[in-house]
Amino acid sequence: MSRILLKAFLGLLMRVLYRPKVEGTENIPGSGPVILAGSHVTFVDSLFLALVVKRQVFFIGKDEYVTGKGIKGRLMAWFFGSSGMIPVDRDGGHGGVAALMTGRRILDEGKVFGIYPEGTRSPDGRLYRGRTGIARLTLMTGAPVVPFAMLGMDKVQPGGKGKLRLAPVTVRFGEPLDFSRYEGMDRDRYILRAVTDEVMSEVMSLSGQEYVDVYATKARASKAA
């Protein structure tokens, strides 16, 4: 019920303020497991994604978003929980494994899992090298991957964080990618890289972003140094 109320309220607000243009929603299967994979530019990407997809989208988020104390902490926990976020301690030694297993559980239940293969927000709006967790998920579960891109988000939230601004937004979904030809090869690192690169290539085609063949975390660290 909280998700329905949240989506109804924010969905109306979003339509009035941003009037988002949505393309390719017919590419998202109406039932069964599916992975939505796209670029990550702003803090609110997942919120916009969840509001334009009819099915509920689950995604991984930092557990610190739901562990705050006081009224603010409880409101944040309700907000992120209602929007489909599943908290995981991604900073721990097993954070990557926990996120992978959580995604697998969601897909095994026939649900929609949203993921940003770059692993973190882009430090400068360009598209960075994808991490192979996306490939492991599709090969382990057989779920198709629907690539997506959200255009204009860099104008909505310049720098990826902070106050939101009014700007045109387009959410574009590509055709489903089927990797069943690689069934049983989820431990082959060459296959994992090939699958990941294919997904990122489709995301790049949809977003029009410049591609950088390094990890975003490395680029962010170099920028901060």
Side-chain angles (χ1 to χ4, degrees), residues 165-187:
R165 301 180 182 181
L166 296 181
V169 173
T170 297
V171 185
R172 184 177 294 156
F173 297 95
E175 295 184 2
L177 302 175
D178 178 14
F179 296 104
S180 58
R181 62 190 182 277
Y182 297 127
E183 183 180 359
M185 304 177 73
D186 58 281
R187 294 184 180 276

Side-chain angles (χ1 to χ4, degrees), residues 32-33 55 58 86 102-112:
R55 297 177 64 186
F58 294 89
I86 298 176
T102 299
R104 181 175 185 175
R105 175 177 59 81
I106 292 169
L107 294 168
D108 284 342
E109 292 173 356
K111 299 176 180 177
V112 181

Side-chain angles (χ1 to χ4, degrees), residues 35-53:
I35 302 170
L36 302 182
S39 56
H40 195 16
V41 177
T42 74
F43 178 75
V44 294
D45 287 344
S46 296
L47 179 58
F48 272 77
L49 178 65
L51 291 175
V52 301
V53 177

Side-chain angles (χ1 to χ4, degrees), residues 145-156:
V145 178
V146 174
F148 71 87
M150 289 185 281
L151 288 68
M153 294 302 295
D154 56 328
K155 303 294 191 302
V156 171

Side-chain angles (χ1 to χ4, degrees), residues 1-220:
M1 181 61 71
S2 59
R3 171 186 172 265
I4 295 174
L5 293 175
L6 181 67
K7 188 167 185 176
F9 173 73
L10 289 182
L12 176 61
L13 186 64
M14 183 187 72
R15 285 191 294 272
V16 171
L17 295 178
Y18 293 96
R19 300 183 181 277
K21 181 180 179 181
V22 186
E23 303 173 355
T25 53
E26 69 277 5
N27 291 321
I28 303 175
S31 61
V34 60
I35 302 170
L36 302 182
S39 56
H40 195 16
V41 177
T42 74
F43 178 75
V44 294
D45 287 344
S46 296
L47 179 58
F48 272 77
L49 178 65
L51 291 175
V52 301
V53 177
K54 291 182 179 180
R55 297 177 64 186
Q56 183 172 12
V57 181
F58 294 89
F59 56 93
I60 298 297
K62 294 182 180 180
D63 61 350
E64 64 189 59
Y65 295 153
V66 298
T67 56
K69 297 181 180 180
I71 295 178
K72 181 179 179 181
R74 289 196 293 272
L75 284 174
M76 287 185 65
W78 173 81
F79 176 82
F80 284 109
S82 299
S83 62
M85 193 199 87
I86 298 176
V88 170
D89 180 8
R90 297 188 301 177
D91 295 325
H94 301 287
V97 175
L100 185 67
M101 290 302 100
T102 299
R104 181 175 185 175
R105 175 177 59 81
I106 292 169
L107 294 168
D108 284 342
E109 292 173 356
K111 299 176 180 177
V112 181
F113 184 61
I115 187 172
Y116 304 108
E118 292 168 281
T120 187
R121 291 193 305 274
S122 169
D124 54 18
R126 295 186 293 177
L127 184 67
Y128 284 82
R129 194 176 200 221
R131 295 188 177 275
T132 57
I134 175 73
R136 291 182 186 277
L137 279 176
T138 185
L139 297 187
M140 287 191 300
T141 65
V145 178
V146 174
F148 71 87
M150 289 185 281
L151 288 68
M153 294 302 295
D154 56 328
K155 303 294 191 302
V156 171
Q157 198 174 39
K161 299 181 69 174
K163 294 182 179 180
L164 301 183
R165 301 180 182 181
L166 296 181
V169 173
T170 297
V171 185
R172 184 177 294 156
F173 297 95
E175 295 184 2
L177 302 175
D178 178 14
F179 296 104
S180 58
R181 62 190 182 277
Y182 297 127
E183 183 180 359
M185 304 177 73
D186 58 281
R187 294 184 180 276
D188 186 316
R189 64 190 182 95
Y190 295 105
I191 295 298
L192 294 176
R193 174 46 55 193
V195 169
T196 303
D197 287 347
E198 183 174 338
V199 172
M200 299 309 290
S201 177
E202 292 298 319
V203 172
M204 181 179 65
S205 295
L206 293 169
S207 68
Q209 291 170 282
E210 177 185 348
Y211 180 74
V212 184
D213 195 25
V214 299
Y215 292 119
T217 49
K218 184 176 181 180
R220 189 182 297 277

